[in-house]
Amino acid sequence: MIQQWKSWKQNLGLKPHKTAGKTARLLTVTAVALGLTFGTGGYDAQASSTHTAKKGDTFYFLSKQYGVNLNTLMNANPTIEATNIYPGLSIKIPGTVSTNQASTAKPISNGTPVFTPSLNVYPEQKMVEAWGKNFNYSKTLSVKATAYSAAASENGGWGAVDYFGNALELGTIAVDPKVIPLGTKVLVTGHAHPGLPKKAFVAEARDIGGAIKGNKIDIFIPGSQSSVRQFGIQDIKLYIID
């Protein structure tokens, strides 16, 4: 959690509360892996290469960047969770370079347009479009948001796990269950941080915290405490999606 709220909790005598419980993993679908399929192209050989992840990289973005089918790209990296791509991670790019090219793939240069994150809201239809995917929503909620890292000091001594005992990952948010029930899926919008997908991303309420009361959420962001702390306090709009 950010430094401001940490100091408030200390002054109020509040302690974050997490209980390792259910071991079944809750499915978190995020805007970085929406199950869409795209055509391949850009290279004529089938040798694989390696991409070193940067801030903001997603399977969807890389599939557009390299002209690789999204499902093929994800299947080539079975040990990498789509919701937990972080800078420095090595990602296999299948069928993108010829055998006489360097081992590190370069973006396609055949005129394929760079993918631009999108967000469009259709209130009359109770639908929001994000990253080319349509979501039906039941209601919206304006909240104050902070962010937290996997550091033990920010997780009450329980380690980098959520309320259910699952590993923290991009797409995890801490909530006040009286306002947002645990297990609720939301589309997060209005945020700004290099460690989060631009425009919007899907998250799931899988964590709680002593200082998270009322219309407040805490967003897990992979990265160092100093980088996560840059998030500060932001006004966020949530779409409660079906």
Side-chain angles (χ1 to χ4, degrees):
M1 302 174 185
I2 65 165
Q3 193 64 38
Q4 293 100 318
W5 278 11
K6 283 174 64 180
S7 63
W8 295 347
K9 286 184 289 184
Q10 291 171 354
N11 293 336
L12 294 173
L14 296 174
K15 295 181 180 179
H17 171 69
K18 291 181 181 177
T19 304
K22 300 177 182 178
T23 56
R25 196 170 190 79
L26 296 176
L27 176 63
T28 302
V29 181
T30 69
V32 300
L34 296 172
L36 303 177
T37 302
F38 303 92
T40 59
Y43 296 89
D44 54 6
Q46 296 303 310
S48 297
S49 61
T50 300
H51 172 89
T52 300
K54 304 180 297 297
K55 285 184 178 181
D57 277 351
T58 67
F59 277 136
Y60 182 80
F61 177 80
L62 293 177
S63 73
K64 299 293 288 184
Q65 180 178 355
Y66 290 104
V68 177
N69 178 281
L70 177 60
N71 292 330
T72 300
L73 177 60
M74 295 178 68
N75 289 337
N77 297 275
T79 62
I80 300 176
E81 296 192 34
T83 56
N84 199 31
I85 295 176
Y86 51 87
L89 183 66
S90 294
I91 300 175
K92 183 178 180 180
I93 309 296
T96 55
V97 295
S98 61
T99 54
N100 61 357
Q101 286 180 292
S103 60
T104 299
K106 296 181 179 180
I108 56 176
S109 56
N110 61 351
T112 300
V114 176
F115 178 72
T116 302
S118 62
L119 177 65
N120 296 288
V121 182
Y122 306 96
E124 303 85 3
Q125 303 170 356
K126 287 259 182 167
M127 184 178 72
V128 57
E129 176 273 321
W131 293 73
K133 176 74 173 181
N134 292 330
F135 300 91
N136 295 318
Y137 67 91
S138 58
K139 65 177 182 179
T140 63
L141 187 64
S142 296
V143 300
K144 292 285 186 181
T146 54
Y148 66 113
S149 72
S153 61
E154 298 185 58
N155 291 280
W158 285 271
V161 296
D162 62 23
Y163 179 83
F164 298 95
N166 298 312
L168 293 173
E169 60 186 6
L170 184 62
T172 298
I173 59 173
V175 302
D176 180 349
K178 294 180 180 179
V179 178
I180 303 175
L182 288 171
T184 300
K185 290 185 175 66
V186 301
L187 186 69
V188 181
T189 69
H191 57 280
H193 190 277
L196 294 173
K198 296 180 179 179
K199 295 284 188 179
F201 66 97
V202 174
E204 186 171 343
R206 299 195 298 178
D207 211 354
I208 62 175
I212 311 303
K213 302 297 182 185
N215 284 28
K216 298 177 182 177
I217 66 170
D218 211 10
I219 301 172
F220 173 72
I221 301 177
S224 66
Q225 284 182 284
S226 60
S227 65
V228 172
R229 193 174 294 123
Q230 295 173 12
F231 185 91
I233 301 176
Q234 300 185 21
D235 292 313
I236 299 297
K237 187 171 186 178
L238 304 178
Y239 292 84
I240 311 301
I241 60 179
D242 300 336

